[in-house]
C-alpha cells in the first residue's frame, strides 16, 4: 500500500474532520482493536484535534501534531501505524513469522502460510482463532517489536490445514514509505 508513497506527490489534502466523524472513528477503533477507552485516551486524547490526510488510491492517514497514528484504505478497517504499534503492541492480535520469511516481508511481500506455521512462526491457539479479514500485527522470530501490519486472507485454523498460499496480506512494513514519514 505504501510501496511508492511520497508525501509531496501523494497527499491531496489535510483537513480536520467534524467532531461527529471523530466520534465515529473513535467508535470504530474501539470495536476493531483490542483496547479499552483508557488506552485510546492515551493514544488520542479527546481534546486533541485529529487531522485527516487524504492521499491517492483512497488512502486516509489520521495524524495528531503531524505524527501519523492510524490509516485506512477506502472504508476498510483502521490500522495503526508501526510506530504506534511499537508503543502499544497489544492493540492488534499477533501472528509470527520464521527467520526465513523476514527478508521477503521487508521487501513488501505477503506472508505465506508455511512461514506462519513452521517452527519459528506463530499463530494463535485454536480457542483464540482469528477469522479471515482480521487486522494483525506481524512479529518476526527473535524480534521484540512488530515488523509489519497485515490482514489475514484465511482464518488461522484454515492456515494450519491448508499450509500454502498467502496467509496474511501485508499492509505496511518496516522500511516502507509510511515508516519513513515521521511527520506529514
Amino acid at each position: 500500500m505504501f510501496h511508492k508513497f511520497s508525501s509531496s506527490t501523494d497527499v491531496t489534502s489535510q483537513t480536520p474532520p467534524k467532531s461527529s466523524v471523530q466520534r465515529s472513528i473513535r467508535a470504530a477503533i474501539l470495536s476493531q482493536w483490542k483496547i479499552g477507552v483508557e488506552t485510546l485516551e492515551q493514544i488520542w486524547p479527546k481534546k486533541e484535534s485529529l487531522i485527516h490526510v487524504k492521499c491517492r488510491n483512497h488512502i486516509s492517514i489520521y495524524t495528531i501534531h503531524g505524527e501519523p497514528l492510524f490509516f485506512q484504505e477506502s472504508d476498510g478497517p483502521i490500522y495503526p501505524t508501526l510506530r504506534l504499534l511499537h508503543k502499544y503492541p497489544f492493540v492488534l492480535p499477533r501472528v509470527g513469522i520464521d527467520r526465513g520469511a523476514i527478508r521477503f516481508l521487508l521487501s513488501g511481500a505477503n506472508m505465506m502460510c508455511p512461514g506462519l506455521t513452521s517452527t519459528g512462526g506463530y499463530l494463535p491457539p485454536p480457542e483464540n482463532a482469528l477469522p479471515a479479514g482480521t487486522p494483525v500485527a506481524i512479529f518476526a522470530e527473535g524480534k521484540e517489536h512488530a515488523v509489519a501490519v497485515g490482514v489475514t486472507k484465511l482464518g488461522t485454523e484454515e492456515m494450519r490445514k491448508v499450509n500454502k498460499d498467502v496467509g496474511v496480506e501485508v499492509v505496511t512494513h518496516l522500511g516502507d514509505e509510511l515508516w519513513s514519514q515521521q511527520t506529514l
Side-chain angles (χ1 to χ4, degrees):
M1 185 181 296
F2 294 101
H3 192 61
K4 293 183 179 179
F5 179 81
S6 169
S7 61
S8 60
T9 58
D10 290 332
V11 172
T12 57
S13 69
Q14 296 186 20
T15 58
K18 297 189 295 186
S19 60
S20 60
V21 173
Q22 289 190 32
R23 280 194 305 274
S24 68
I25 292 170
R26 278 184 178 277
I29 289 171
L30 287 171
S31 69
Q32 293 174 17
W33 298 1
K34 302 185 317 181
I35 61 171
V37 178
E38 307 82 29
T39 307
L40 182 59
E41 188 64 29
Q42 289 175 352
I43 295 170
W44 172 20
K46 277 190 176 177
K47 299 291 182 192
E48 295 293 336
S49 181
L50 189 70
I51 300 295
H52 179 195
V53 179
K54 294 181 184 175
C55 305
R56 290 187 188 174
N57 301 327
H58 306 286
I59 296 173
S60 297
I61 303 173
Y62 299 100
T63 66
I64 294 178
H65 301 298
E67 179 187 353
L69 292 182
F70 24 88
F71 60 95
Q72 180 179 30
E73 185 176 17
S74 297
D75 290 328
I78 297 175
Y79 302 99
T81 61
L82 271 175
R83 292 185 194 280
L84 180 65
L85 195 58
H86 289 176
K87 293 177 189 172
Y88 301 93
F90 53 86
V91 299
L92 291 179
R94 74 188 282 160
V95 297
I97 57 169
D98 61 10
R99 290 187 185 277
I102 294 173
R103 67 183 179 138
F104 297 108
L105 178 112
L106 293 179
S107 64
N110 292 327
M111 292 298 89
M112 306 301 280
C113 290
L116 297 163
T117 59
S118 67
T119 306
Y122 170 78
L123 288 173
E127 59 271 7
N128 296 333
L130 302 172
T134 304
V136 292
I138 304 171
F139 286 77
E141 179 183 8
K143 305 298 178 199
E144 178 184 351
H145 296 293
V147 293
V149 175
V151 60
T152 57
K153 298 309 282 177
L154 304 169
T156 53
E157 289 307 301
E158 191 176 355
M159 286 183 211
R160 281 190 179 93
K161 289 177 190 163
V162 174
N163 205 22
K164 61 169 73 166
D165 291 332
V166 175
V168 178
E169 180 182 336
V170 174
V171 180
T172 183
H173 61 86
L174 278 178
D176 71 0
E177 299 303 322
L178 182 61
W179 172 259
S180 65
Q181 300 289 323
Q182 301 231 353
T183 59
L184 286 176

